[in-house]
Amino acid sequence: MTSLLKNLPSYDEARTALDRIDARQQDMVDTVIAWSRVNSGSRNLEGLAEMEALILEAFEPLGAEVELIDLADGEAVNEKGEVVTVKNGRTIRIFKRPHANRKVLMTGHTDTVFAKDHPFQEPVWLDAGTLNGPGVADMKGGIIVILNALMAFEETPLASSVGWEILLSPDEETGSLATAPLLAERAKAADIGLTYEPALADGTLAGARKGSGNFTIVVRGKAAHAGREFHAGRNAVVHLSKIIADLAALTDGRPELTVNPAVISGGVAPNVVPDMAWCRFNVRLKEPEDATWFQAELDKIVARFGAEDGFDVSLHGGINRPPKALSDANQKLMDAIKACGADLGIEIDYVPTGGCCEGNNLAAAGLPNVDTLGVRGANIHSADEFVCVDSFAERAKLSALILLAFASGQLDDVVKAKTA
């Protein structure tokens, strides 16, 4: 495998810059501990604002331009089955040399899945090398990797040839619904994409990804006394149960497509025929055309059950992340990153995954990207989330070398394949 590091025109400066990352290891750990203590659940706007301020302060030494982008309000179905407006935080855009010939887009998110009232709020050491805490891996740790990779990159003469841009969204954990148009827009202005979701604990990165959609189906019937007027009612819970059976039956209707009815609510008391019930469900799909098939099947279910006397059935949501297939350009980028890892003594392997992230959005916009360049960790989206702390310097050096290889023209075949 060709050494990208040794082929750099400014090898000595690059090697020195990479070595300096090790000296910032403890600072990275201290920063993730402090950031982890700030609750930035997707709906905690105050916590997101606090994280925004901390991030802007941390990135200030890079001398970049900053744009804070207010996102449009979103919609959600509440516990009463009503569509309500939800507020979103702001996307942070940090960029430098936007008119350079080579451009890289680096993405991440400031939000976590842990709400303000969630019991998981405090980082705790599991052992000398493992830190448990909200967002330590997903992905406050990833943002710290971006920062330190860029600090090293900016110390080298090669930095002057690259325009870099960072997008940090406040709604990734709820599907990037409001940030999606911005991701698509900025992806079209870049040559390669780097996203900082955590790698697996053993360092494996994600390759191809399934697409995903989140939906809520709401059934409204008619309330009645369960004893006196049972037959005058229209039981929304029973009606919904039939719909759920049909939804679940769509699993494997296309290769590797899965439907997961996950959260159900309805009814008020055992002696009342329930007049409302809802279910939240998720779909995962392998191929882009599967979305059309799935939506058509959903529409048939809604129409069939909505046509029954006394019932109204409504569907909310959609496919928010298309599948991420591996284009020729994406494969070349993955190979180049594998070579960067080899230069640093890091073995890089890729596995397909049913999970999805902003890498799906970037790929749908035509941008080759690798989307698990953050810290090594595991058990994300649970109170057992942890980061392997030695991966801070390790992964920051990996990203710094990727940027150096890109700046020196060693990734030009990726760009050519992208535009072919």
Side-chain angles (χ1 to χ4, degrees):
M1 186 178 292
T2 302
S3 171
L4 302 186
L5 176 58
K6 290 180 179 178
N7 286 333
L8 292 176
S10 53
Y11 173 81
D12 291 339
E13 294 95 331
R15 186 73 264 180
T16 299
L18 291 174
D19 289 343
R20 284 178 183 155
I21 290 175
D22 289 320
R24 298 196 292 270
Q25 166 69 16
Q26 187 58 51
D27 179 67
M28 289 186 257
V29 175
D30 292 342
T31 300
V32 84
I33 290 172
W35 287 6
S36 178
R37 289 186 171 127
V38 177
N39 179 277
S40 57
S42 304
R43 298 301 175 211
N44 181 6
L45 299 187
E46 294 80 8
L48 288 167
E50 186 176 350
M51 271 308 308
E52 178 184 285
L54 290 170
I55 288 167
L56 293 180
E57 180 182 12
F59 278 78
E60 188 175 4
L62 292 171
E65 297 180 70
V66 174
E67 181 183 10
L68 301 176
I69 303 169
D70 291 314
L71 299 179
D73 293 342
E75 288 186 345
V77 178
N78 67 13
E79 297 293 315
K80 297 179 181 179
E82 302 165 336
V83 177
V84 295
T85 298
V86 293
K87 297 289 185 181
N88 289 301
R90 296 195 294 194
T91 289
I92 304 169
R93 179 176 178 241
I94 306 172
F95 58 99
K96 193 167 186 176
R97 295 182 292 270
H99 302 297
N101 290 330
R102 292 188 174 94
K103 298 184 182 67
V104 57
L105 177 64
M106 308 169 82
T107 76
H109 59 90
T110 56
D111 63 328
T112 72
V113 298
F114 306 107
K116 192 174 182 179
D117 58 355
H118 194 284
F120 185 45
Q121 301 289 343
E122 184 69 18
V124 176
W125 287 99
L126 301 181
D127 56 51
T130 312
L131 180 67
N132 161 241
V136 291
D138 186 23
M139 64 163 289
K140 297 178 182 185
I143 297 171
I144 293 167
V145 169
I146 297 174
L147 170 61
N148 284 271
L150 286 171
M151 288 173 66
F153 181 59
E154 287 294 315
E155 293 175 4
T156 71
L158 283 169
S160 62
S161 66
V162 170
W164 51 260
E165 177 173 343
I166 304 165
L167 283 183
L168 301 177
S169 65
D171 65 338
E172 193 279 338
E173 296 294 9
T174 54
S176 303
L177 297 177
T179 307
L182 184 60
L183 288 166
E185 173 196 323
R186 301 317 305 158
K188 295 183 186 304
D191 298 308
I192 63 170
L194 309 175
T195 293
Y196 287 81
E197 295 293 334
L200 299 182
D202 66 0
T204 302
L205 308 185
R209 288 182 178 272
K210 284 186 175 182
S212 175
N214 292 311
F215 298 82
T216 302
I217 196 158
V218 180
V219 176
R220 296 194 181 277
K222 182 181 178 182
H225 192 285
R228 294 184 177 185
E229 299 179 301
F230 177 81
H231 292 288
R234 293 291 181 270
N235 191 312
V237 169
V238 172
H239 207 59
L240 177 62
S241 69
K242 297 174 184 176
I243 293 173
I244 290 172
D246 279 13
L247 291 174
L250 296 178
T251 292
D252 295 327
R254 304 280 282 191
E256 297 186 42
L257 184 147
T258 58
V259 181
N260 183 44
V263 185
I264 303 168
S265 180
V268 293
N271 62 347
V272 178
V273 175
D275 65 348
M276 190 278 294
W278 54 258
C279 173
R280 303 192 202 282
F281 62 97
N282 174 266
V283 61
R284 302 283 163 148
L285 38 98
K286 185 178 181 181
E287 303 296 339
E289 57 268 25
D290 293 347
T292 302
W293 176 86
F294 182 71
Q295 187 64 56
E297 294 301 311
L298 280 186
D299 292 342
K300 291 176 188 175
I301 291 172
V302 171
R304 183 167 70 253
F305 284 94
E308 293 194 26
D309 181 50
F311 290 102
D312 176 78
V313 179
S314 59
L315 180 69
H316 309 272
I319 306 292
N320 58 294
R321 299 205 198 275
K324 178 185 176 180
L326 299 183
S327 65
D328 180 51
N330 216 110
Q331 189 61 58
K332 289 180 182 299
L333 178 60
M334 292 164 64
D335 291 343
I337 290 174
K338 189 178 182 73
C340 288
D343 276 339
L344 298 170
I346 303 169
E347 184 176 351
I348 301 290
D349 291 311
Y350 298 91
V351 294
T353 175
C356 50
C357 70
E358 290 173 341
N360 294 65
N361 299 74
L362 302 185
L367 185 65
N369 71 90
V370 171
D371 57 35
T372 38
L373 290 169
V375 290
R376 289 185 282 110
N379 298 337
I380 61 174
H381 294 192
S382 81
D384 296 319
E385 176 181 349
F386 71 82
V387 61
C388 304
V389 295
D390 63 341
S391 66
F392 279 102
E394 171 192 287
R395 296 291 145 157
K397 285 191 282 189
L398 176 62
S399 279
L401 182 53
I402 294 166
L403 293 169
L404 289 164
F406 179 55
S408 64
Q410 296 185 74
L411 273 61
D412 283 356
D413 61 335
V414 176
V415 181
K416 289 176 183 177
K418 170 181 176 283
T419 57

